[in-house]
Amino acid sequence: MKINSYKGLIVWQKSMKLVKLIYSATSSFPKEEQYGLVNQIRRAAVSIPSNIAEGYGRKSQKEYLRFYSIAYGSALELETQIIIAKELNLINIINSKNIDFLLTEVIKMLYVLVYRHKERRALAAT
């Protein structure tokens, strides 16, 4: 089945769900974190589907991989920020479990898209 839009990519769909979870979870953070951790967490979360969409629209494999790599990096950044929020008791257990589950899925999918693709290209070049 051919995908005609980035919106058809499951990794994009899951990352959009993740953004909604992140916004919901961070809405209960203390006011003093609105321009600190909340802002950073939300920006990292939004960066994931945004870079997936931009990568999908690129014409060359090199550009495609670059933007998917950026999305992967943003997912790892978000993972770290969620760990920090947990360590500071800023996020409740139910929200963190839902976020952890979905974020792990997104990270794995992006890993496959980027690194398995690079491996296949390297094998084809030999």
Side-chain angles (χ1 to χ4, degrees), residues 8 17 26 30-31 34 40 42 46 55 82 86 95 102 123:
K17 287 180 187 176
T26 57
K31 278 267 193 239
Q34 288 303 310
Q40 283 191 289
R42 288 179 174 183
V46 168
I82 294 302
K86 285 189 235 179
N95 281 341
L102 195 53
L123 286 174

Side-chain angles (χ1 to χ4, degrees), residues 60-124:
S60 77
Q61 290 290 325
K62 187 176 178 182
E63 286 183 293
Y64 159 90
L65 287 173
R66 185 169 72 87
F67 282 97
Y68 280 42
S69 293
I70 293 168
Y72 180 74
S74 293
L76 296 179
E77 178 183 357
L78 177 60
E79 183 180 45
T80 300
Q81 293 161 349
I82 294 302
I83 292 168
I84 292 167
K86 285 189 235 179
E87 293 285 326
L88 297 173
N89 295 315
L90 296 174
I91 191 167
N92 73 47
I93 293 169
I94 294 170
N95 281 341
S96 77
K97 285 186 188 284
N98 292 335
I99 289 167
D100 287 345
F101 178 78
L102 195 53
L103 181 54
T104 298
E105 280 189 311
V106 168
I107 288 170
K108 286 177 181 178
M109 294 174 91
L110 287 168
Y111 178 86
V112 168
L113 281 171
V114 174
Y115 294 100
R116 295 276 167 86
H117 187 76
K118 284 182 180 180
E119 290 170 4
R120 280 190 302 244
R121 282 183 50 199
L123 286 174

